[in-house]
Amino acid sequence: MMNEWSLDVLYKGLDDPAYANDMETLQKTLTEMNDFVDSMSHENEKETLVHIIELQERLLLSAYKLSEYLSLRQSTNTKDADIASELEKVMQLQSRGSKAMAAMNRFVAETKELDACIEADDLLKEYSFYLHELKGNGAYLLSNEVEEVLTKMDISGGNAWGNLQSYLTSTLEVDYNNEKTNLSHIRNLAYDSDAQVRKSAYEAELASYQKIRDAIAFSLNNIKAQVITECDLRGYESPLDMTLKQSRMQKATLDAMLCAMKEYMPIFHKYLRRKAELLGHKNGLPWYDLFAPLPFGTSNKKFSVEDAKQYLISHFRPFAPDMADMMEKAFDEKWIDFFPRNGKVGGAFCANLQFAKQSRILTNFDGGLGDIVTLAHELGHAYHGMMSENHRPLNWDYSMPVAETASTFNENIIMNALIEESEGDEKIALMETQLQDLAQIMCDIYSRYVFESEVFNRKRNGFMFPDELEAIMLDAQKQGYGDGLDENYMHPYMWICKSHYYSSHLSFYNFPYAFGGLFARGLIVKYKELGDGFVEKYRKLLNATTVSSVEDVARIADIDLTDVSFWRSALETCKADIESFLAATESKLS
């Protein structure tokens, strides 16, 4: 079993003839697109629509393979100059098609007999949702020339600023115990069983950010300025409005979820205070102990990669054999890049490669139980990709909110199974591990949403230097964590290390985690009600995420997302878990 992924399914290297062939295909397709838009006519709308779809499919398949390959290579070695150069070349090439794409999308938006055209052609029928979405988005299109300029400018604008954040955080040297280490390693020490290690690692992490805080403040400011400018030009009410429309999600759904979250926040603060007491703290939980194991019932066992494989497969096969088979394939066929190393980005992610019926997963594996949960999470994304791989290429993408559904569903499955199989102090420790993750999607994600909202508000009035960004972050953490955190030990630099803030195309990548976590909890309730009969409904739900609104996806499981009572029902299960934990640990207080 290899510890690094293989990208051979894409290309064997930059000198692979397939790489050169796809570059040539991309260039030819872009030329054909630019020539075609001049001949588009509403006199033969159906034929024109079919050719638009065929061209967009061809463009996606060539550009997708190239950009995914280069992005994946870059994620494991941000110092590779050749890869960075090639990635910029592909982006420059793609930008040549932005004017033609805008013209084709405008043609779809202006098609008066769209439904009749769709009904008359099998290919267009498969793209009914996609075409209607393009028609609805027509109101936010700019002139073809401006669309082209925006795409080209983003390469040296928002995208470049985002790359700066990725590069600086992935190559940052952290001074720890008279040695140099990387940010991924030092952040992993937050899970260490030694309290002094956790605290000293936290202090070393915060100190290291001093080296890059100014540069990354410029990165954040300029990305958010670009997003605001684009929103204003397109006519969106705000960056949040643009995000919700891109997410195929109603504001009423977000409002209902946030309303329920605020109502139930105090119970999560009770959990945090109890954990603080169990660890010997009197003023709430210090940041460096958010992920600390409890002083009892914990296992020091470390998992090898092979252990992780068997552990996951054995726990998921009873739920869905096809998921277990996929997991086995992911380990055996080198889908996963496991261990941290210098130049590799932090955190974890999954990239679906539907054209190859595979995915690629990046982790920074340290062997702890948290890494098993992370793998389950990312393999949930892979399963989601598997459920959508039989759609046509332009129907492969799912929106941000539902993007976290399968991953957090997997987390629930594995943690619930572990808790049910355990007893005594070990059971309490596992309960706490699950609550730890729940507190992240409630308190931390809420704080990130508050932070990004305030950053967008203030960016309209001026530049935010690091001191101001730190103050905004601390205030957001106080709103999210309440009196559950010790105000003397918070994390003013969370805006530096979280890559989610640094995209000019994807704002507010925070509330989808809360959505995914709570929606998954609601689905788990359905699973318990329906048993094995739920699994097929679950597969249909995941399959629909790429061709439906968020609200329509939920209706497959008989859920109304705009009704706050659904979110309360999901949070009631969280409340019950916290109350069980509080009762179980009462006798542990000295």
Side-chain angles (χ1 to χ4, degrees):
M1 185 181 299
M2 295 290 291
N3 294 326
E4 297 181 16
W5 57 28
S6 168
L7 301 182
D8 287 357
V9 70
L10 290 161
Y11 310 105
K12 292 180 172 60
L14 295 179
D15 58 351
D16 188 335
Y19 182 87
N21 183 65
D22 281 346
M23 285 287 279
E24 183 179 354
T25 299
L26 175 59
Q27 294 180 61
K28 286 182 177 179
T29 304
L30 288 167
T31 299
E32 187 177 342
M33 284 173 56
N34 287 319
D35 291 341
F36 172 70
V37 294
D38 294 330
S39 65
M40 291 189 304
S41 169
H42 284 281
E43 292 181 5
N44 49 3
E45 288 184 331
K46 182 174 74 70
E47 290 76 10
T48 301
L49 289 172
V50 169
H51 198 48
I52 285 173
I53 291 295
E54 290 172 345
L55 283 170
Q56 290 189 359
E57 280 192 341
R58 201 186 317 158
L59 176 70
L60 174 77
L61 286 170
S62 57
Y64 182 71
K65 287 179 66 179
L66 290 164
S67 58
E68 281 292 340
Y69 173 73
L70 295 168
S71 296
L72 290 169
R73 284 277 302 269
Q74 187 177 59
S75 69
T76 56
N77 185 6
T78 58
K79 297 179 179 181
D80 191 324
D82 291 337
I83 292 298
S85 177
E86 284 294 305
L87 187 56
E88 183 168 352
K89 184 191 300 184
V90 170
M91 292 178 64
Q92 291 281 4
L93 269 175
Q94 287 181 266
S95 72
R96 285 175 39 197
S98 55
K99 183 177 179 180
M101 284 291 290
M104 289 189 289
N105 291 346
R106 191 183 311 281
F107 182 93
V108 175
E110 294 173 352
T111 298
K112 295 180 180 178
E113 301 297 329
L114 182 61
D115 287 332
C117 292
I118 292 172
E119 189 60 31
D121 186 90
D122 289 341
L123 176 64
L124 298 183
K125 282 179 183 176
E126 291 196 63
Y127 280 118
S128 178
F129 180 82
Y130 175 77
L131 291 167
H132 280 105
E133 190 171 43
L134 288 181
K135 190 172 182 66
N137 291 338
Y140 304 103
L141 282 173
L142 301 170
S143 71
N144 300 343
E145 291 74 19
V146 173
E147 292 286 352
E148 182 179 33
V149 169
L150 284 177
T151 303
K152 288 181 178 294
M153 292 296 289
D154 182 61
I155 296 170
S156 57
N159 185 73
W161 285 113
N163 285 339
L164 175 66
Q165 184 271 345
S166 178
Y167 177 80
L168 290 176
T169 53
S170 66
T171 59
L172 179 63
E173 288 189 340
V174 183
D175 298 309
Y176 182 68
N177 285 350
N178 298 316
E179 294 181 355
K180 302 286 186 184
T181 188
N182 57 59
L183 197 55
S184 294
H185 174 71
I186 207 72
R187 286 176 61 78
N188 274 338
L189 293 178
Y191 299 88
D192 198 273
S193 59
D194 188 319
Q196 186 53 47
V197 168
R198 296 193 301 270
K199 185 177 181 182
S200 60
Y202 159 82
E203 291 168 345
E205 179 194 352
L206 295 192
S208 71
Y209 292 129
Q210 292 289 329
K211 306 172 188 177
I212 59 175
R213 66 198 284 266
D214 291 324
I216 294 186
F218 272 81
S219 174
L220 186 63
N221 273 272
N222 285 293
I223 288 171
K224 297 313 183 191
Q226 180 175 315
V227 172
I228 289 170
T229 299
E230 183 175 348
C231 285
D232 291 346
L233 287 171
R234 294 189 182 282
Y236 289 103
E237 293 178 10
S238 65
L240 179 59
D241 178 49
M242 181 167 72
T243 295
L244 287 169
K245 287 183 170 59
Q246 291 171 343
S247 300
R248 303 165 183 167
M249 178 172 168
Q250 297 175 22
K251 181 67 159 51
T253 293
L254 178 62
D255 289 343
M257 182 183 75
L258 291 175
C259 176
M261 287 174 68
K262 290 177 187 176
E263 289 178 11
Y264 282 78
M265 207 71 82
I267 190 68
F268 285 87
H269 300 161
K270 284 185 179 180
Y271 149 70
L272 292 169
R273 292 196 302 275
R274 174 57 57 86
K275 181 171 183 176
E277 291 178 291
L278 293 170
L279 292 172
H281 303 296
K282 297 181 179 180
N283 300 315
L285 196 63
W287 189 277
Y288 58 80
D289 273 350
L290 275 172
F291 306 109
L294 293 179
F296 55 86
T298 55
S299 171
N300 293 322
K301 179 183 177 183
K302 286 286 186 177
F303 293 82
S304 67
V305 170
E306 180 62 31
D307 291 337
K309 171 187 171 183
Q310 298 304 326
Y311 195 78
L312 290 167
I313 290 172
S314 65
H315 279 80
F316 280 96
R317 189 166 295 283
F319 168 67
D322 60 337
M323 187 186 295
D325 291 342
M326 181 213 70
M327 288 178 170
E328 187 166 18
K329 186 182 294 185
F331 280 86
D332 292 347
E333 298 183 6
K334 297 183 285 191
W335 292 14
I336 309 172
D337 196 290
F338 288 94
F339 298 107
R341 55 187 180 274
N342 191 30
K344 179 177 174 179
V345 298
F349 67 76
C350 174
N352 295 139
L353 307 177
Q354 287 101 326
F355 75 93
K357 299 188 184 302
Q358 297 183 16
S359 291
R360 288 298 179 271
I361 293 167
L362 179 143
T363 73
N364 282 274
F365 189 82
D366 198 38
L369 180 61
D371 293 308
I372 303 300
V373 176
T374 295
L375 279 168
H377 179 104
E378 300 305 337
L379 286 163
H381 285 303
Y383 188 68
H384 197 167
M386 189 171 88
M387 290 300 100
S388 61
E389 67 190 17
N390 290 326
H391 284 300
R392 294 196 68 92
L394 301 177
N395 286 337
W396 281 341
D397 282 343
Y398 38 77
S399 64
M400 284 200 303
V402 291
E404 296 303 328
T405 299
S407 54
T408 46
F409 187 91
N410 269 18
E411 288 187 36
N412 276 278
I413 288 287
I414 198 164
M415 289 306 302
N416 287 346
L418 287 167
I419 291 169
E420 288 172 7
E421 295 164 3
S422 62
E423 57 186 19
D425 284 353
E426 183 184 22
K427 187 182 189 76
I428 296 174
L430 288 170
M431 290 167 64
E432 194 281 320
T433 298
Q434 187 174 48
L435 294 179
Q436 184 183 115
D437 292 337
L438 278 172
Q440 283 293 291
I441 68 167
M442 282 290 290
C443 305
D444 195 59
I445 291 302
Y446 184 76
S447 73
R448 294 192 216 176
Y449 174 78
V450 170
F451 172 80
E452 191 161 6
S453 298
E454 185 62 18
V455 166
F456 272 122
N457 289 338
R458 295 198 194 191
K459 185 57 205 163
R460 287 191 176 275
N461 299 316
F463 187 91
M464 291 163 287
F465 284 95
D467 286 348
E468 185 174 0
L469 290 168
E470 290 157 26
I472 297 170
M473 179 54 77
L474 290 174
D475 181 67
Q477 287 172 0
K478 290 174 184 175
Q479 291 189 52
Y481 288 93
D483 59 3
L485 269 190
D486 184 339
E487 292 189 8
N488 296 308
Y489 294 98
M490 300 177 75
H491 199 312
Y493 295 117
M494 282 296 283
W495 56 275
I496 291 181
C497 62
K498 289 299 177 184
S499 60
H500 300 83
Y501 299 124
Y502 296 88
S503 170
S504 55
H505 300 291
L506 205 60
S507 302
F508 288 101
Y509 203 165
N510 34 63
F511 70 77
Y513 283 95
F515 179 101
L518 296 177
F519 185 43
R521 281 237 151 194
L523 291 175
I524 290 289
V525 172
K526 293 284 184 180
Y527 174 40
K528 290 179 177 178
E529 290 175 359
L530 301 175
D532 292 341
F534 168 82
V535 179
E536 189 55 38
K537 182 171 284 194
Y538 180 60
R539 293 188 182 108
K540 289 178 180 178
L541 182 150
L542 293 179
N543 177 265
T545 55
T546 65
V547 290
S548 306
S549 70
V550 169
E551 289 75 22
D552 284 343
V553 165
R555 288 189 186 98
I556 294 173
D558 303 316
I559 293 168
D560 179 3
L561 294 177
T562 65
D563 186 350
V564 70
S565 63
F566 164 72
W567 301 103
R568 287 173 180 147
S569 69
L571 282 159
E572 275 295 313
T573 69
C574 303
K575 181 180 178 181
D577 288 346
I578 291 173
E579 288 176 341
S580 294
F581 174 75
L582 295 175
T585 55
E586 187 69 34
S587 63
K588 302 290 185 181
L589 299 177
S590 56

